[in-house]
Every structure is written in C-alpha cells, then in structure tokens.
C-alpha cells in the first residue's frame, strides 16, 4: 500500500509541477513587449478553453448520459455550459470595471501605472488557479491510487493543461515586477 501511495503522490506532484514549468517560460524572455504579453495570455487562455471543450465537455456528456436518471445528458451538459457562461457574464456586469480583474483593456507596457494592474491580474489568476488545482490534485491522487495506469493518464492530461495556467500567472507578474524570480 505504501508503494501505491508514494506513486500516487509522485504523479500528483508531477501534475502540479507542470504549472511551474509554464511559469518557467519567463526565464527565457529577454525583452518585454506588449505583443508577447498579449500572445502568451491569449495562448494560455486558448489552450485551457480548448481542453475544456475538446476533452472535458464530451467526457461530461458521456458520463451524464451513462447515468440512467438522465435521458438527455448531452443537452444537460450544454445547458450547464451556458448557465456557467451566464454566471460569469453576471459577475462581470455586477463588479465595477475598475475592480474587475477581467477588465484589462488599457494594459500596455508603454504606459506607466499598469504595473499594479498587471500584478493584480497575476495574483488573481494565481488564486483562481490554486482553488482550481486543489480538486485536480485530489482527483489525480485518488485516480493514481485506485489504478496507476489511469493515474498516469490523468497526470498527463492535467500536466498539459497546467502549463498554460503557469503562463497565465507568471507572465503578468513578470511584466509588473520585472523580476523573473517573483514571476516563477
């Protein structure tokens, strides 16, 4: 049993460390540019959205359809997706623009004063990702503990999507502080 627990812990550590791998991207950046900032954040958001839609969405539909209580699992997952979008839109509407971390329309490296907004964006991303990664870690550990082969698959899938999460945190903090160490 102890060998299985250590193996599950190692897989969970690998999946979590992938976030740091994404953050390590800042170590290779020599010059700051608005285009790189926008591109890195866009890439990380795009990868996370793609994984959600291409991997998790069909899997959720299959799981809910497999339950005998729901005859239209596909429609239920689609409805839940749009309800989630509506909740995010409501939050964006209710939070004033100056307080909303999703509002980063005036960020530019050419203007002074944006460092605080960039730093806040990085910190808010880090907090959201930390909350998001906690259940992922539990799922990885339990999955690896129950079936090491399945655990390896979960570790790989979570690692792939944790890399852009690390980018989403490290890049704004690096641009705000000009410190690769703080960003990492």
């Amino acid at each position: 049993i102890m060998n299985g627990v250590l193996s599950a812990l190692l897989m969970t550590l690998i999946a979590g460390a992938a976030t740091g791998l994404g953050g390590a991207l800042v170590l290779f950046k020599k010059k700051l540019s608005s285009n790189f900032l926008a591109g890195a954040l866009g890439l990380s958001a795009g990868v996370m959205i793609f994984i959600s839609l291409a991997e998790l969405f069909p899997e959720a539909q299959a799981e809910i359809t497999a339950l005998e209580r729901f005859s239209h699992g596909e429609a239920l997952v689609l409805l839940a997706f749009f309800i989630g979008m509506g909740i995010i839109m409501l939050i964006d509407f209710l939070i004033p623009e100056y307080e909303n971390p999703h509002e980063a329309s005036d960020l530019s490296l050419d203007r002074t004063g944006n460092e605080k907004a960039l730093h806040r964006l990085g910190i808010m991303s880090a907090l959201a990702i930390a909350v998001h990664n906690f259940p992922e870690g539990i799922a990885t550990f339990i999955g690896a503990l129950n079936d090491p082969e399945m655990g390896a698959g979960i570790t790989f899938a979570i690692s792939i999507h944790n890399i852009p999460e690390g980018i989403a945190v490290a890049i704004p903090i690096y641009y705000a502080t000009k410190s690769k160490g703080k960003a990492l």
Side-chain angles (χ1 to χ4, degrees):
I1 284 188
M2 191 55 143
N3 191 23
V5 170
L6 290 176
S7 177
L9 279 173
L10 179 62
M11 287 187 208
T12 304
L13 180 66
I14 289 169
T19 306
L21 182 64
L25 179 68
V26 300
L27 299 176
F28 302 105
K29 188 66 184 149
K30 293 186 187 329
K31 184 180 170 202
L32 302 176
S33 77
S34 294
N35 288 339
F36 183 78
L37 173 66
L41 292 175
L43 174 70
S44 65
V47 168
M48 288 185 274
I49 290 170
F50 173 77
I51 288 171
S52 295
L53 292 176
E55 298 288 328
L56 300 177
F57 197 83
E59 189 175 322
Q61 287 180 323
E63 289 291 327
I64 289 183
T65 301
L67 296 174
E68 295 180 11
R69 293 185 307 222
F70 302 107
S71 59
H72 300 291
E74 294 89 0
L76 187 60
V77 172
L78 191 61
L79 178 66
F81 176 77
F82 284 111
I83 288 172
M85 284 178 54
I87 290 170
I88 295 300
M89 288 172 54
L90 181 65
I91 290 170
D92 277 347
F93 178 75
L94 293 175
I95 296 176
E97 188 172 320
Y98 63 89
E99 284 290 322
N100 191 338
H102 293 132
E103 298 293 333
S105 58
D106 272 344
L107 292 181
S108 170
L109 297 176
D110 302 327
R111 299 175 58 203
T112 58
N114 281 330
E115 292 83 9
K116 185 176 178 183
L118 281 168
H119 192 262
R120 181 176 174 170
L121 175 67
I123 296 298
M124 294 298 283
S125 297
L127 289 173
I129 289 169
V131 168
H132 163 83
N133 281 352
F134 184 72
E136 280 183 357
I138 292 172
T140 304
F141 180 79
I142 298 297
L145 195 59
N146 288 331
D147 180 359
E149 190 174 312
M150 180 178 71
I154 293 170
T155 299
F156 178 75
I158 289 178
S159 295
I160 292 299
H161 110 243
N162 278 354
I163 292 170
E165 290 177 357
I167 293 169
V169 172
I171 295 294
I173 291 178
Y174 172 54
Y175 277 68
T177 64
K178 313 296 187 276
S179 168
K180 292 180 179 184
K182 287 180 182 179
L184 188 58

